[in-house]
Amino acid sequence: MSTAVERAQAENRTVLGFWIYLMTDCVLFASLFATFAVMRGMTNGGPSGADLFSMPYALTETMILLASSFTCGLAVIAGGQQRRALLLSMLALTFVLGASFVGMEFHEFRDLALDGNSWHRSGFLSSYFTLVATHGLHICVGLLWLLTLSVQIVKKGLAGSTARRLTLFSMFWHFLDLVWIFIFSVVYLWSGRV
Amino acid sequence: MSDLKPTVSHFQPHATLSAYITGFVSCIVITLVAYVVATSNSVSNDAAVGIVAGLAILQFVTQLIFFLHLGREFKPRWKMLVFWLMITIVLILVGGSIWIMNNLNYRMMQNPSLENKYIQSQDGL
């Protein structure tokens, strides 16, 4: 009995520690958002957000990431019920959605760069690429984590440490969707309009 | 004996299917409303920015509650405490930067057309 309580306490400490990391990551993103907000109008005679961004494209990206956040939640529930096949298929779905998101973002960056609108072009584009690509890199790290986590679940099953990693991964993944809400609203909806 | 094998649900008792579905559906609705407002021509720019910002905050809170289960922990509420600390720092950082830079722009731009020429000659900075 006391072991279970001790384990639960250790688990809570791990979750709290990871939560503190996520909150400090928020501060990193906040500084990039502040930079973007300040540099938004500094196009140096080049194109502005309204000239460059496609809102339907950004909406599709948003929906894909939201769906992957949802399937990640379903994976956590499947894990709690010890349903391994369902858990692994939900993680696979999360991976496919996350990878599609990264693919779309890469495609967008490539098109911008090929049209001569890379980060060299203006202060506005520098801050845009820094903000959005930092989020994209986080997603890539999440995808790697998802792969290693899936291998661990296949090999070790849902023992204590794997279950804990699943919990932490879901926090990380939901957190990235939280950050994306603001990228979608500030970068695409706001700068794409005004 | 079953207590010795903690499962995920043991540590995330609030991760229920209904919570995720509620969160997912509300986020889709909020996103679509924000999109429609931002792309509509009948809404003024200022109103659109205000509505989109409000909806972003609404979706932020929705996801925090339904996906990250914030506010469901037992006392002492360390997660909540760290969360509010983060919100404070973020508000100071973002609000302060925008405030200072706008103020600086205002003080330096005595003649906007000259200022624009200067800015363009300085590579956007």
Side-chain angles (χ1 to χ4, degrees):
Chain A
M1 187 61 199
S2 67
T3 0
V5 171
E6 276 165 20
R7 274 197 212 188
Q9 282 173 345
E11 202 74 25
N12 278 335
R13 273 200 300 275
T14 313
V15 167
L16 177 64
F18 195 70
W19 179 257
I20 292 173
Y21 152 66
L22 291 180
M23 293 300 103
T24 50
D25 221 16
C26 269
V27 176
L28 163 72
F29 279 108
S31 57
L32 295 176
F33 272 109
T35 314
F36 181 82
V38 168
M39 301 296 266
R40 208 176 61 89
M42 312 217 171
T43 54
N44 188 27
S48 69
D51 303 324
L52 292 177
F53 301 145
S54 155
M55 287 208 203
Y57 196 83
L59 180 68
T60 316
E61 283 178 297
T62 307
M63 288 302 176
I64 288 176
L65 200 60
L66 186 59
S68 83
S69 203
F70 179 60
T71 54
C72 174
L74 296 184
V76 170
I77 295 173
Q81 296 168 346
Q82 299 286 319
R83 291 158 75 180
R84 229 167 86 173
L86 185 64
L87 165 63
L88 285 171
S89 49
M90 281 305 139
L91 288 182
L93 201 55
T94 310
F95 184 86
V96 170
L97 289 165
S100 324
F101 173 84
V102 171
M104 282 187 79
E105 195 168 288
F106 182 75
H107 187 256
E108 188 184 19
F109 284 176
R110 194 173 141 271
D111 281 358
L112 283 174
L114 286 178
D115 290 342
N117 297 317
S118 68
W119 49 90
H120 309 289
R121 186 66 190 85
S122 61
F124 156 65
L125 279 165
S126 302
S127 63
Y128 162 77
F129 273 98
T130 312
L131 172 59
V132 180
T134 303
H135 178 268
L137 273 179
H138 276 77
I139 294 276
C140 291
V141 170
L143 288 176
L144 266 180
W145 188 357
L146 193 47
L147 279 181
T148 54
L149 178 67
S150 304
V151 171
Q152 282 172 334
I153 292 171
V154 170
K155 279 193 165 176
K156 297 184 189 169
L158 271 170
S161 61
T162 332
R164 187 183 63 228
R165 283 181 199 126
L166 177 63
T167 307
L168 298 185
F169 170 75
S170 77
M171 287 166 70
F172 185 65
W173 202 251
H174 292 318
F175 163 76
L176 290 181
D177 200 25
L178 276 184
V179 175
W180 182 261
I181 300 171
F182 289 98
I183 295 187
F184 178 61
S185 305
V186 173
V187 175
Y188 292 100
L189 294 186
W190 180 33
S191 303
R193 181 188 169 104
V194 194
Chain B
M1 275 306 278
S2 64
D3 274 356
L4 294 174
K5 282 185 183 174
T7 60
V8 176
S9 61
H10 189 83
F11 303 111
Q12 291 207 323
H14 309 292
T16 60
L17 186 60
S18 63
Y20 278 111
I21 292 176
T22 315
F24 185 49
V25 173
S26 2
C27 286
I28 290 179
V29 172
I30 297 169
T31 305
L32 288 177
V33 172
Y35 179 80
V36 168
V37 168
T39 48
S40 133
N41 289 322
S42 51
V43 187
S44 75
N45 277 343
D46 285 346
V49 170
I51 294 171
V52 166
L55 288 172
I57 291 168
L58 184 65
Q59 190 172 351
F60 178 67
V61 175
T62 309
Q63 291 203 13
L64 276 176
I65 294 173
F66 291 109
F67 287 176
L68 280 163
H69 322 295
L70 187 65
R72 305 285 189 86
E73 63 184 332
F74 301 111
K75 282 182 178 177
R77 299 199 171 90
W78 291 114
K79 274 171 89 171
M80 199 53 118
L81 184 77
V82 181
F83 172 75
W84 283 111
L85 180 67
M86 179 278 286
I87 292 288
T88 312
I89 294 172
V90 166
L91 287 179
I92 294 171
L93 192 62
V94 176
S97 301
I98 295 173
W99 184 16
I100 290 171
M101 295 311 286
N102 277 343
N103 191 266
L104 205 59
N105 274 348
Y106 172 75
R107 284 176 191 281
M108 292 180 72
M109 279 197 198
Q110 299 304 322
N111 185 338
S113 62
L114 275 180
E115 201 67 37
N116 277 338
K117 270 184 197 165
Y118 173 74
I119 287 172
Q120 284 182 13
S121 72
Q122 294 296 310
D123 258 351
L125 289 166

